[in-house]
Amino acid sequence: MEEIAAEAGTSKAGIYRHFTDKEDLSVAVGSRIAADLVADITAALGAEDHPRRALAGAIDAYLSVIESDPEPYRFIVHRPLADRPDTADPMADYTAIVAAHAGRLIGDGLLGAGLDAAPAELWGHALVGYVRAAGEWWLDHPTISRPALTEYLTALVWSGFRGID
């Protein structure tokens, strides 16, 4: 909190005046991280025409976020929000926000290709869980580069998607 306050040019008390309590601040920070992550993934997907390169770009965008600032990411992602009555909405789970977005993008891609979009929501959650688990392992075991990890994860996902058409 002292580092956040110093970066903002205020005191810890000044930061807390803008929030109901510490949990309210955590929710605000988590929402911002999730929104930034969704924006980064969307931009990465839009920057590529080929689906495999778009997938790699989205995976790399996620890994870049967690690599650049792992501690706030860990703090937010591993905080249970179910204890707050005002966060009973399943979208309060930050991973679910990103997974729902991924599911919508997958569904749009399937429909655009004339395919059944029924598995899109499931695949969105599976894909985000897969990349999240691998990314968190990598943060604790940085034995390979981010580009190598991106390629390995992309190769496995891409091979799994090959059978849908």
Side-chain angles (χ1 to χ4, degrees), residues 50-61 63 127 130-131 134 146-162:
H50 190 275
R52 189 181 194 287
R53 286 193 302 271
L55 174 65
I59 290 171
D60 191 60
L63 295 174
L127 180 60
Y130 162 73
V131 175
R146 190 178 84 231
L149 179 61
T150 297
E151 178 51 34
Y152 294 155
L153 295 176
T154 302
L156 183 57
V157 171
W158 188 252
S159 295
F161 282 135
R162 286 180 55 198

Side-chain angles (χ1 to χ4, degrees), residues 74 135-144:
R74 285 181 175 131
E136 289 180 9
W137 172 86
W138 174 66
L139 286 176
D140 293 333
H141 306 90
T143 57
I144 59 174

Side-chain angles (χ1 to χ4, degrees), residues 1 3 103:
M1 282 307 305
E3 289 176 30

Side-chain angles (χ1 to χ4, degrees), residues 39-149:
D40 289 351
I41 290 169
T42 301
L45 288 169
E48 293 292 343
D49 325 3
H50 190 275
R52 189 181 194 287
R53 286 193 302 271
L55 174 65
I59 290 171
D60 191 60
Y62 175 82
L63 295 174
S64 177
V65 166
I66 69 172
E67 178 185 41
S68 68
D69 218 350
E71 294 314 312
Y73 165 81
R74 285 181 175 131
F75 174 76
I76 295 303
V77 168
H78 294 290
R79 286 186 64 79
L81 297 178
D83 297 339
R84 287 185 61 126
D86 59 333
T87 57
D89 179 350
M91 291 308 288
D93 175 354
Y94 305 121
T95 301
I97 293 169
V98 176
H101 182 69
R104 284 189 299 275
L105 294 173
I106 292 167
D108 291 347
L110 290 170
L111 290 173
L115 300 170
D116 180 13
E121 184 178 10
L122 168 68
W123 287 352
H125 283 269
L127 180 60
V128 168
Y130 162 73
V131 175
R132 176 182 167 186
E136 289 180 9
W137 172 86
W138 174 66
L139 286 176
D140 293 333
H141 306 90
T143 57
I144 59 174
S145 68
R146 190 178 84 231
L149 179 61

